[in-house]
Amino acid sequence: MGTCFTNATLVQLDPPMVQQGNLHVVDGKIVAVGDITPEQGDEMIDCGGAVLMPGLVNGHTHLYSALAAGMPAPPKTPTNFFEILKYVWWRLDLAHDVESIRTSGVVGALAALRCGTTTLIDHHASPNAIEGSLSDLEGGIAQAGCRGVLCYEATDRNHKNEALRGLDENERFVVLCKKRNNGRFAGMVGAHASFTLNEKSLAACVSFAKELQVGIHIHVAEDGCDEAMTQAGYGQTLFDRFKEHGLLDHPDTIFAHGTHLSDADIQAINERDTITMAHNTNSNMNNAVGYAPVARFDRPPMLGTDGIGADMWREARTAQFKSHDGDIPLPFGRPLAMIGESARYASKALGVKLGVLEPGAEADLVLTKYTPATPLSADNLAGHLIYAMGPEFVSDVMIGGDWKLRGGEVVSCDEAEVRGKSVEVSRALHERMGEIPCE
Ligand SMILES: [Zn+2]
């Protein structure tokens, strides 16, 4: 039995496509677009002219911060990005345990679902609960019903052998996902950032990724401290260090942020097809780290939320608006291609087709209440996405052909129970965090 969507405004963001018609889902995949032949027993859904589109993909996030809302202020007020990490996020990640990781996963993925985000590319950290943490996170995400491309961020910032333990966890999860090969979850090699990885650990990140044949997901030049501390600690520029370790030429590598790249760094990125940038405008504004030169990247970067919710509509809008403050504004509508890039990356990692409405693609679909009030075509789709559409129109979400959100209600799990229990889990997490000194 499948699902037939009729009388829909079919919308694909990248490449932009707008078409009135029908769409047929069978066994979790799109089998026909336009003219369809319903089968006996199919669920029939008259969309009433509303927009039906592929689920959105968040290109860089941290679900471990899903329970951060309302956490206590740090005992010391951070005055720069490094202090924001030390006083806030590195105390939160140290406070995580198995239960809070899993709860972060489900709460964060449910928030994503409500925004029409169906796949999350996540960068996880829980230094006091490393082993098994990616499966704990996966368990939470799967409870909501979303897909995930997960990694543990290897780092040397807390414990002896911490980076190696993080890499072992990546290896365990990559091998598990490859064995299952079900298109739901995939693993990568995660690395925090150059400035918290010693030479041995950075080399190990690359050798693990080579051996496992997966990409590396790392923060790059999110703030000037990454370059300055790399030069001070290792006597090399950030990109020279990456080049020497083989990181620039390792396929499917994600560089998140890039707000402090030199002209030569940008050129090095543009000369290669191995590096996918991930841009996170709202987070960069929140941390006051500046603006990544998005318009100067030849290939569109992925778009991500960096743990500030999972609202890709808001991220697209801010990416467009914020660029107008800079010297080189983004061509209007570029965020559509950036969302498309997130979907392409996740598709390759998971071995499925996401982000497109075509036969053979996964039935990760968002049915909205958005019936265009002004003419809508592929040519002006960006105007609708950036100025008029938003998560407030998302009513139903299907992932792999199964409903996860129906008429605005979560059907994949008991949302009220999850959120109720999460208050207690968060309270304990915030208390543990409060006990961690601010050094
Ligand atoms: Zn990040």
Side-chain angles (χ1 to χ4, degrees):
M1 277 199 306
T3 307
C4 293
F5 295 90
T6 61
N7 191 22
T9 300
L10 303 166
V11 165
Q12 178 184 285
L13 300 183
D14 185 46
M17 186 272 283
V18 176
Q19 179 187 322
Q20 302 303 318
N22 313 313
L23 185 143
H24 195 186
V25 170
V26 177
D27 291 336
K29 291 196 191 309
I30 297 170
V31 293
V33 179
D35 292 328
I36 63 170
T37 313
E39 293 167 12
Q40 207 177 5
D42 278 349
E43 179 184 18
M44 302 297 294
I45 294 174
D46 184 341
C47 302
V51 165
L52 178 70
M53 57 190 285
L56 302 168
V57 177
N58 189 343
H60 175 78
T61 192
H62 303 278
L63 288 181
Y64 74 76
S65 66
L67 309 182
M71 66 185 168
K76 279 194 231 172
T77 305
T79 57
N80 56 44
F81 177 69
F82 186 60
E83 288 181 357
I84 292 173
L85 292 177
K86 274 203 310 180
Y87 299 170
V88 181
W89 303 112
W90 293 352
R91 288 172 64 245
L92 177 72
D93 66 26
L94 280 167
H96 266 299
D97 65 10
V98 170
E99 194 179 24
S100 62
I101 294 167
R102 192 184 168 96
T103 306
S104 295
V106 62
V107 168
L110 284 174
L113 203 59
R114 288 195 164 280
C115 296
T117 300
T118 51
T119 300
L120 300 147
I121 301 178
D122 190 87
H123 196 260
H124 175 69
S126 51
N128 285 323
I130 298 176
E131 286 76 18
S133 60
L134 295 179
S135 291
D136 298 328
L137 185 66
E138 179 201 16
I141 298 170
Q143 208 181 329
C146 294
R147 297 178 201 266
V149 180
L150 315 183
C151 67
Y152 187 91
E153 56 156 61
T155 182
D156 290 306
R157 66 177 179 259
N158 302 291
H159 314 301
K160 196 163 174 262
N161 292 330
E162 183 177 1
L164 196 58
R165 286 172 57 205
L167 290 170
D168 283 344
E169 174 60 9
N170 285 312
E171 180 177 31
R172 185 193 67 78
F173 192 70
V174 168
V175 170
L176 178 71
C177 292
K178 285 198 174 189
K179 201 167 143 195
R180 288 189 304 212
N181 190 28
N182 61 8
R184 291 290 171 145
F185 286 89
M188 296 182 67
V189 166
H192 172 246
S194 169
F195 71 99
T196 72
L197 284 160
N198 66 34
E199 294 292 30
K200 207 173 131 198
S201 300
L202 188 59
C205 288
V206 180
S207 60
F208 267 70
K210 271 189 183 152
E211 199 174 314
L212 293 166
Q213 296 184 313
V214 293
I216 300 167
H217 190 170
I218 183 169
H219 291 122
V220 175
E222 180 173 2
D223 179 80
C225 73
D226 198 7
E227 179 74 59
M229 290 171 77
T230 295
Q231 289 193 22
Y234 306 103
Q236 275 181 309
T237 68
L238 184 60
F239 268 51
D240 281 349
R241 187 173 188 227
F242 282 162
K243 194 171 179 196
E244 194 176 295
H245 281 282
L247 206 75
L248 296 184
D249 295 301
H250 183 75
D252 302 322
T253 286
I254 299 175
F255 280 5
H257 300 293
T259 43
H260 289 261
L261 297 171
S262 68
D263 290 347
D265 297 341
I266 294 168
Q267 195 186 337
I269 291 165
N270 287 338
E271 280 168 356
R272 292 169 167 80
D273 60 6
T274 46
I275 300 165
T276 299
M277 298 301 298
H279 178 58
N280 313 268
T281 332
N282 286 289
S283 165
N284 295 157
M285 289 164 67
N286 183 47
N287 287 326
V289 291
Y291 177 70
V294 182
R296 296 182 60 196
F297 298 129
D298 291 346
R299 201 151 56 85
M302 298 196 286
L303 199 58
T305 63
D306 203 26
I308 306 183
D311 182 350
M312 298 301 294
W313 315 81
R314 176 180 64 185
E315 211 58 51
R317 187 174 298 150
T318 318
Q320 186 73 58
F321 294 172
K322 180 65 187 167
S323 83
H324 298 167
D325 276 345
D327 299 334
I328 313 173
L330 271 184
F332 185 72
R334 186 74 160 167
L336 273 70
M338 293 163 70
I339 292 176
E341 193 67 14
S342 300
R344 275 189 291 278
Y345 191 94
S347 298
K348 190 175 174 196
L350 292 164
V352 293
K353 207 185 275 185
L354 303 172
V356 289
L357 297 181
E358 58 186 52
E362 294 298 301
D364 289 14
L365 298 167
V366 177
L367 178 59
T368 70
K369 297 275 184 205
Y370 190 82
T371 47
T374 56
L376 169 64
S377 66
D379 293 339
N380 69 12
L381 174 59
H384 284 260
L385 181 94
I386 287 166
Y387 293 113
M389 298 172 87
E392 63 272 30
F393 291 101
V394 172
S395 71
D396 300 79
V397 178
M398 171 183 273
I399 299 179
D402 294 324
W403 292 112
K404 306 297 177 188
L405 189 78
R406 200 78 179 92
E409 296 293 327
V410 171
V411 293
S412 48
C413 61
D414 186 336
E415 189 185 28
E417 192 188 318
V418 165
R419 292 180 71 89
K421 227 177 112 189
S422 171
V423 175
E424 295 312 313
V425 174
S426 304
R427 188 171 285 131
L429 173 70
H430 295 172
E431 275 173 21
R432 289 195 299 275
M433 184 185 175
E435 287 161 14
I436 296 167
C438 212
E439 286 164 345

